[in-house]
Amino acid sequence: FGVLNMIVAVIVDTFAENREKDVEALALDMEVREFEEKTILKKIFHKIDENDNGILSFDELEHGAKQVPEFTQWLRVMDIDDGDLRQLFEIVDGDGSGEV
C-alpha cells in the first residue's frame, strides 16, 4: 500500500511540474504576443498621425479607421464600430484634451 501511495505521489508531482511549466510558457507567449501587437499598433498609429506630431486627434483616428487597411482590419477583429471608436478615444483621452 505504501508503494502505491509513493507512485501516486510521483505522478501527481510530475503533473504539477508540467502544469507549472505550461503556465510559464503560456505567460511568456502572452508577453511576446502583447509586444508584437504593440509594435504593430505603433506602426499603424504612425500611419494615422497625418501631421506627424506624435499625437492623434479623434479626426485622425476616425480617418485612419477608414483609410488605413491594417487599422480597419484591427478594428474589425476587435469588433469596434464607429460609436465604439469614439468611446474608446474618450476613455484613452483621460485629460479630455481631444488628443492622445
Side-chain angles (χ1 to χ4, degrees), residues 26-99:
L26 180 60
L28 180 60
D29 187 48
M30 289 174 68
E31 287 178 22
V32 168
R33 280 189 283 177
E34 180 181 351
F35 177 78
E36 290 170 349
E37 288 177 15
K38 284 180 179 179
T39 301
I40 291 168
L41 281 174
K42 283 180 185 179
K43 290 177 183 177
I44 290 172
F45 290 154
H46 184 71
K47 289 180 180 180
I48 292 171
D49 185 11
E50 296 172 355
N51 58 5
D52 204 28
N53 65 352
I55 299 171
L56 293 178
S57 67
F58 180 73
D59 290 338
E60 288 175 315
L61 195 67
E62 187 176 46
H63 184 260
K66 295 175 183 170
Q67 300 298 320
V68 178
E70 303 95 86
F71 190 45
T72 305
Q73 292 169 359
W74 186 81
L75 292 172
R76 189 175 311 125
V77 167
M78 299 297 291
D79 196 27
I80 297 174
D81 62 18
D82 292 341
D84 295 333
L85 186 62
R86 169 64 79 176
Q87 286 181 326
L88 178 62
F89 184 82
E90 290 172 359
I91 290 169
V92 175
D93 181 20
D95 63 0
S97 66
E99 300 176 327

